[in-house]
Amino acid sequence: MSVPIFLLWLVSIPLIVHAAVSPPPLGFLLSCGASTETAQGSLKYMPDEGFVSVGNKSTVSQSGVLPILSTLRYFPDTSARKYCYTFPVIKGGKFLVRTTYYYGGFDGGKEPPVFDQIVDGTKWSIVNTKEDYANGLSSYYEIIVTAQVKTLSVCLARNEHTGTSSPFISAIELQSLEDSVYNSTDFGKYGLATIARNSFGYDGDTISFPDDQFNRFWQPFTDNNPVVACKSNATPSDFWSIPPSKALSTALTTSRGKTLTIKWPPFALPEGNYYVALYFQDNRSPSPYSWRVFSVTVNGKDFYNDINVTTNGVTVYTAQWLLSGQTEIVLTPKSDSPVGPVINAGEILQIFLSGRRTLTRDVIALEELARRFDNPPSDWYGDPCLPKENSWTGVMCSYQGRYARVISLNLTSVGIMGELSDTLDNLTALKSLFLGGNKLSGSIPQMGSLKALEILHLEGNQLEGPIPESLGQLPQLREVFLQNNELNGTMPSSLANKNGINLQVSPGNTLLQAATHLPEVVER
């Protein structure tokens, strides 16, 4: 489950801080629907072509919007089960994924549609920007995941609330993170969805790149507590999560001997497990007396006792903490502490269980098949089987084991052209293959590994060459339709003599009859 993360003011809060001679973050910055490179401060956003093959471009007619909000890509194809962006990545790499949305009435409507977003095979969240848009705001969502294979997909999909409008997206950012960042989470099983990341007492614009080398967004947060400025900069590399020093440049505090209470984030949270990190730094000039000792509770439970905060700064975090509703953080000073407690910044990220994925060899087989087709279905990107309701068109899967497996492929009479890939033989859980009534050419590949295959329909295509001998060796095969092709050669005896098979090879092929096994004649 996810909630809308942060709200970006349409004009007054820039998405990217201007400045910097720093190198751009490692990853991809896409301005969706743009035709040329888009400058946003010191960063360059490239057009999204090459990462997505479906959808239409559109522009936002309103003036004064930020450059990357002025274009978008929308997806009007109601037959597709999902619309995917695919990024080449390093397997095992850790990435921050951010999607940005600004409706702008691109379709002539008055409110944006509601739809799902998916990362690889996991439904990430529902995108509902209606309230934000009504208040003149854009919205973004952010997660941290690791790549399980050499590609990472970010997909949108219709749901029961989408209505007659189309899913759309304004920008996608994929940032590579260092191994140390958020390393208390087992990303083989879980992901982190950003709920709040704030700099306390800060009254400037959103802190991001180049101050944050990973282009994370640190939003200002103030309440009724006093604000102090720090007189020494924290060194980001001294913290395993590498927060920008600017995010720790101010703090909320209170007087000596008093407790400091903040209600943050300023909205209720759905019940769930969260990663929580709090950042502290003594704001005074460095000296032997520059320290503060206090304890931290979150919703009345001990979070950390007697933390000693100096001008060097310190982080306190928990990999998993149950939260629900309004969160209250209380800092209680030690009785002999010379000054009151102080807090500079905080992060809350919701922990979500990563969904299963399709077995890699099945994915590779289908992706190669898609490359061989001239016009594969438009939703043949991302995970073929997951989420279950967003599997590829024509693909049916089994979800019994650790990985999803492809058990049926049905693209009957959908007009596909091209050739069949040899990697079909890797779909070892396949029970039925229906590709009849298309314009497939080339030869029938070997299928000797498809021991579970029961039904094979390739009729009504333009296939040529011989029938593979391996078909007759498949133990479960009971129905084979090959008529109305251009096949030639000799009918494999193993197939022709197979007991209980429904074999259709004519009309349309030129095949020599296989030899029939006759009983041996013995002379007396």
Side-chain angles (χ1 to χ4, degrees):
M1 182 177 182
S2 183
V3 297
I5 322 269
F6 300 119
L7 309 182
L8 305 180
W9 289 102
L10 180 60
V11 176
S12 62
I13 297 182
L15 285 175
I16 303 298
V17 175
H18 291 249
V21 290
S22 301
L26 297 176
F28 301 95
L29 307 176
L30 303 186
S31 180
C32 302
S35 299
T36 59
E37 188 178 77
T38 301
Q40 189 72 47
S42 60
L43 296 178
K44 305 295 183 183
Y45 286 70
M46 67 180 75
D48 60 354
E49 293 177 346
F51 298 89
V52 64
S53 62
V54 295
N56 300 336
K57 298 179 180 180
S58 186
T59 58
V60 173
S61 59
Q62 299 174 4
S63 61
V65 298
L66 295 167
I68 66 168
L69 301 181
S70 63
T71 63
L72 56 84
R73 183 176 292 271
Y74 68 99
F75 304 92
D77 182 4
T78 58
S79 66
R81 295 181 179 179
K82 56 187 171 187
Y83 321 96
C84 294
Y85 286 79
T86 303
F87 299 90
V89 295
I90 298 174
K91 181 180 177 179
K94 187 185 302 179
F95 297 91
L96 180 149
V97 181
R98 183 161 51 236
T99 53
T100 302
Y101 301 92
Y102 183 67
Y103 173 58
F106 74 89
D107 58 358
K110 294 183 178 180
E111 64 178 26
V114 177
F115 49 91
D116 294 336
Q117 56 184 352
I118 300 162
V119 60
D120 284 339
T122 300
K123 181 180 175 181
W124 166 12
S125 67
I126 295 175
V127 177
N128 186 347
T129 65
K130 289 182 178 181
E131 183 178 351
D132 297 352
Y133 181 67
N135 292 317
L137 305 171
S138 64
S139 306
Y140 73 82
Y141 297 74
E142 184 182 287
I143 58 168
I144 298 167
V145 294
T146 57
Q148 303 301 317
V149 292
K150 294 181 179 180
T151 59
L152 192 148
S153 63
V154 179
C155 310
L156 308 180
R158 295 172 181 270
N159 60 30
E160 65 273 21
H161 305 295
T162 303
T164 59
S165 188
S166 301
F168 71 96
I169 189 165
S170 303
I172 301 181
E173 298 161 74
L174 188 72
Q175 314 283 357
S176 178
L177 300 177
E178 293 187 7
D179 289 341
S180 69
V181 180
Y182 309 109
N183 65 0
S184 62
T185 298
D186 180 0
F187 285 100
K189 298 179 180 179
Y190 304 98
L192 296 176
T194 306
I195 300 300
R197 184 181 292 113
N198 291 89
S199 174
F200 297 139
Y202 190 73
D203 63 356
D205 291 333
T206 301
I207 300 168
S208 59
F209 182 82
D211 298 293
D212 189 306
Q213 69 182 77
F214 307 118
N215 198 25
R216 292 170 295 185
F217 292 170
W218 300 77
Q219 301 279 13
F221 176 87
T222 56
D223 58 12
N224 294 326
N225 289 298
V227 175
V228 292
C230 294
K231 297 182 180 179
S232 60
N233 288 332
T235 303
S237 59
D238 288 344
F239 298 81
W240 62 270
S241 53
I242 317 179
S245 57
K246 184 180 286 187
L248 307 183
S249 63
T250 58
L252 300 178
T253 189
T254 190
S255 304
R256 176 182 178 179
K258 292 184 177 180
T259 59
L260 174 62
T261 301
I262 61 171
K263 293 185 177 181
W264 169 82
F267 46 80
L269 299 178
E271 182 174 348
N273 289 314
Y274 294 82
Y275 165 92
V276 181
L278 305 176
Y279 300 86
F280 310 94
Q281 184 192 16
D282 194 322
N283 65 293
R284 296 171 295 168
S285 299
S287 76
Y289 305 100
S290 297
W291 53 270
R292 300 169 186 254
V293 178
F294 51 87
S295 297
V296 183
T297 64
V298 176
N299 290 347
K301 295 182 179 180
D302 290 342
F303 193 80
Y304 199 95
N305 289 320
D306 293 339
I307 182 173
N308 189 349
V309 176
T310 69
T311 54
N312 291 328
V314 64
T315 303
V316 173
Y317 74 94
T318 178
Q320 185 169 305
W321 193 271
L322 181 64
L323 294 175
S324 178
Q326 178 64 62
T327 304
E328 183 177 81
I329 299 172
V330 177
L331 312 182
T332 304
K334 197 171 183 179
S335 59
D336 60 350
S337 182
V339 286
V342 66
I343 185 169
N344 299 68
E347 292 181 274
I348 294 181
L349 298 97
Q350 188 171 18
I351 302 168
F352 67 90
L353 183 67
S354 296
R356 290 180 299 173
R357 58 187 178 90
T358 303
L359 187 71
T360 300
R361 67 183 298 169
D362 285 12
V363 177
I364 293 174
L366 288 183
E367 287 178 342
E368 180 59 28
L369 190 64
R371 281 190 284 270
R372 293 290 190 94
F373 289 163
D374 294 338
N375 54 338
S378 61
D379 55 12
W380 272 37
Y381 296 93
D383 191 289
C385 296
L386 297 161
K388 185 176 181 179
E389 62 272 22
N390 303 111
S391 62
W392 290 5
T393 293
V395 174
M396 183 178 296
C397 302
S398 168
Y399 303 93
Q400 300 302 315
R402 178 181 178 186
Y403 298 102
R405 297 298 310 274
V406 178
I407 60 173
S408 177
L409 177 57
N410 189 343
L411 294 176
T412 302
S413 300
V414 296
I416 56 175
M417 299 179 290
E419 299 183 355
L420 296 177
S421 169
D422 291 339
T423 58
L424 270 175
D425 200 35
N426 291 332
L427 296 173
T428 55
L430 196 67
K431 294 182 178 181
S432 60
L433 179 60
F434 295 91
L435 296 176
N438 289 293
K439 298 180 180 180
L440 297 172
S441 58
S443 60
I444 300 175
Q446 294 293 333
M447 300 183 189
S449 298
L450 305 188
K451 305 302 184 183
L453 190 66
E454 300 174 4
I455 301 173
L456 175 63
H457 278 237
L458 297 175
E459 75 277 8
N461 282 287
Q462 299 165 10
L463 298 170
E464 56 187 11
I467 299 174
E469 183 75 30
S470 60
L471 288 182
Q473 301 168 1
L474 301 181
Q476 304 299 322
L477 195 61
R478 55 182 172 81
E479 184 171 292
V480 178
F481 283 19
L482 300 175
Q483 69 269 28
N484 294 314
N485 278 289
E486 300 171 12
L487 301 172
N488 53 55
T490 300
M491 170 70 72
S493 59
S494 59
L495 187 63
N497 299 328
K498 192 175 181 63
N499 291 328
I501 191 169
N502 181 7
L503 177 62
Q504 304 290 330
V505 295
S506 62
N509 298 308
T510 307
L511 296 168
L512 299 177
Q513 186 65 34
T516 303
H517 297 301
L518 298 175
E520 182 177 345
V521 177
V522 180
E523 293 185 20
R524 296 178 181 270

mmCIF file of all heavy atoms in Angstrom, residues 231-232 282-290 311-312:
data_model
loop_
_atom_site.group_PDB
_atom_site.id
_atom_site.type_symbol
_atom_site.label_atom_id
_atom_site.label_comp_id
_atom_site.label_asym_id
_atom_site.label_seq_id
_atom_site.Cartn_x
_atom_site.Cartn_y
_atom_site.Cartn_z
ATOM 1 N N LYS A 231 25.909 25.844 13.110
ATOM 2 C CA LYS A 231 27.093 26.650 12.837
ATOM 3 C C LYS A 231 28.242 25.844 12.220
ATOM 4 O O LYS A 231 29.299 26.397 11.941
ATOM 5 C CB LYS A 231 27.559 27.331 14.120
ATOM 6 C CG LYS A 231 26.516 28.314 14.659
ATOM 7 C CD LYS A 231 26.990 29.027 15.910
ATOM 8 C CE LYS A 231 25.931 30.011 16.419
ATOM 9 N NZ LYS A 231 26.363 30.711 17.655
ATOM 10 N N SER A 232 28.031 24.552 12.034
ATOM 11 C CA SER A 232 29.041 23.739 11.349
ATOM 12 C C SER A 232 28.331 22.756 10.439
ATOM 13 O O SER A 232 27.235 22.265 10.763
ATOM 14 C CB SER A 232 29.914 22.987 12.356
ATOM 15 O OG SER A 232 29.133 22.122 13.154
ATOM 16 N N ASP A 282 24.253 18.877 16.842
ATOM 17 C CA ASP A 282 24.301 20.036 17.733
ATOM 18 C C ASP A 282 24.535 21.284 16.899
ATOM 19 O O ASP A 282 25.454 21.341 16.086
ATOM 20 C CB ASP A 282 25.432 19.850 18.747
ATOM 21 C CG ASP A 282 25.316 20.834 19.910
ATOM 22 O OD1 ASP A 282 24.934 21.998 19.671
ATOM 23 O OD2 ASP A 282 25.618 20.428 21.042
ATOM 24 N N ASN A 283 23.715 22.292 17.103
ATOM 25 C CA ASN A 283 23.779 23.489 16.263
ATOM 26 C C ASN A 283 24.859 24.474 16.683
ATOM 27 O O ASN A 283 25.165 25.422 15.959
ATOM 28 C CB ASN A 283 22.434 24.213 16.291
ATOM 29 C CG ASN A 283 22.089 24.752 17.672
ATOM 30 O OD1 ASN A 283 21.852 23.966 18.580
ATOM 31 N ND2 ASN A 283 22.065 26.067 17.825
ATOM 32 N N ARG A 284 25.479 24.270 17.865
ATOM 33 C CA ARG A 284 26.424 25.260 18.373
ATOM 34 C C ARG A 284 27.798 25.104 17.733
ATOM 35 O O ARG A 284 28.084 24.120 17.053
ATOM 36 C CB ARG A 284 26.528 25.122 19.890
ATOM 37 C CG ARG A 284 25.220 25.432 20.618
ATOM 38 C CD ARG A 284 25.303 25.068 22.091
ATOM 39 N NE ARG A 284 25.461 23.618 22.275
ATOM 40 C CZ ARG A 284 25.787 23.070 23.436
ATOM 41 N NH1 ARG A 284 25.999 23.840 24.502
ATOM 42 N NH2 ARG A 284 25.884 21.761 23.534
ATOM 43 N N SER A 285 28.645 26.079 17.935
ATOM 44 C CA SER A 285 30.016 25.996 17.440
ATOM 45 C C SER A 285 30.740 24.846 18.133
ATOM 46 O O SER A 285 30.532 24.599 19.322
ATOM 47 C CB SER A 285 30.768 27.313 17.711
ATOM 48 O OG SER A 285 30.137 28.383 17.036
ATOM 49 N N PRO A 286 31.597 24.138 17.400
ATOM 50 C CA PRO A 286 32.313 23.005 18.002
ATOM 51 C C PRO A 286 33.137 23.427 19.213
ATOM 52 O O PRO A 286 33.866 24.421 19.178
ATOM 53 C CB PRO A 286 33.219 22.522 16.862
ATOM 54 C CG PRO A 286 32.553 22.998 15.619
ATOM 55 C CD PRO A 286 31.903 24.310 15.971
ATOM 56 N N SER A 287 32.974 22.691 20.304
ATOM 57 C CA SER A 287 33.732 22.945 21.527
ATOM 58 C C SER A 287 33.566 21.727 22.429
ATOM 59 O O SER A 287 32.746 20.843 22.152
ATOM 60 C CB SER A 287 33.207 24.201 22.236
ATOM 61 O OG SER A 287 31.988 23.920 22.891
ATOM 62 N N PRO A 288 34.315 21.652 23.527
ATOM 63 C CA PRO A 288 34.134 20.523 24.453
ATOM 64 C C PRO A 288 32.731 20.439 25.039
ATOM 65 O O PRO A 288 32.352 19.415 25.596
ATOM 66 C CB PRO A 288 35.176 20.797 25.542
ATOM 67 C CG PRO A 288 36.209 21.653 24.882
ATOM 68 C CD PRO A 288 35.456 22.511 23.910
ATOM 69 N N TYR A 289 31.970 21.528 24.927
ATOM 70 C CA TYR A 289 30.623 21.554 25.504
ATOM 71 C C TYR A 289 29.539 21.358 24.455
ATOM 72 O O TYR A 289 28.352 21.448 24.762
ATOM 73 C CB TYR A 289 30.402 22.873 26.240
ATOM 74 C CG TYR A 289 31.459 23.146 27.290
ATOM 75 C CD1 TYR A 289 32.504 24.015 27.011
ATOM 76 C CD2 TYR A 289 31.413 22.511 28.531
ATOM 77 C CE1 TYR A 289 33.495 24.267 27.961
ATOM 78 C CE2 TYR A 289 32.397 22.752 29.479
ATOM 79 C CZ TYR A 289 33.437 23.630 29.191
ATOM 80 O OH TYR A 289 34.402 23.853 30.120
ATOM 81 N N SER A 290 29.950 21.108 23.191
ATOM 82 C CA SER A 290 28.973 20.981 22.103
ATOM 83 C C SER A 290 28.425 19.560 22.039
ATOM 84 O O SER A 290 28.833 18.739 21.217
ATOM 85 C CB SER A 290 29.613 21.379 20.769
ATOM 86 O OG SER A 290 30.011 22.716 20.778
ATOM 87 N N THR A 311 28.407 18.075 17.317
ATOM 88 C CA THR A 311 28.394 18.850 16.075
ATOM 89 C C THR A 311 28.706 17.983 14.863
ATOM 90 O O THR A 311 28.490 18.414 13.725
ATOM 91 C CB THR A 311 29.405 20.007 16.159
ATOM 92 O OG1 THR A 311 30.690 19.480 16.508
ATOM 93 C CG2 THR A 311 28.967 21.029 17.190
ATOM 94 N N ASN A 312 29.230 16.772 15.072
ATOM 95 C CA ASN A 312 29.479 15.882 13.941
ATOM 96 C C ASN A 312 28.192 15.264 13.401
ATOM 97 O O ASN A 312 28.147 14.818 12.255
ATOM 98 C CB ASN A 312 30.437 14.758 14.347
ATOM 99 C CG ASN A 312 31.833 15.266 14.607
ATOM 100 O OD1 ASN A 312 32.275 16.225 13.979
ATOM 101 N ND2 ASN A 312 32.531 14.631 15.541
#
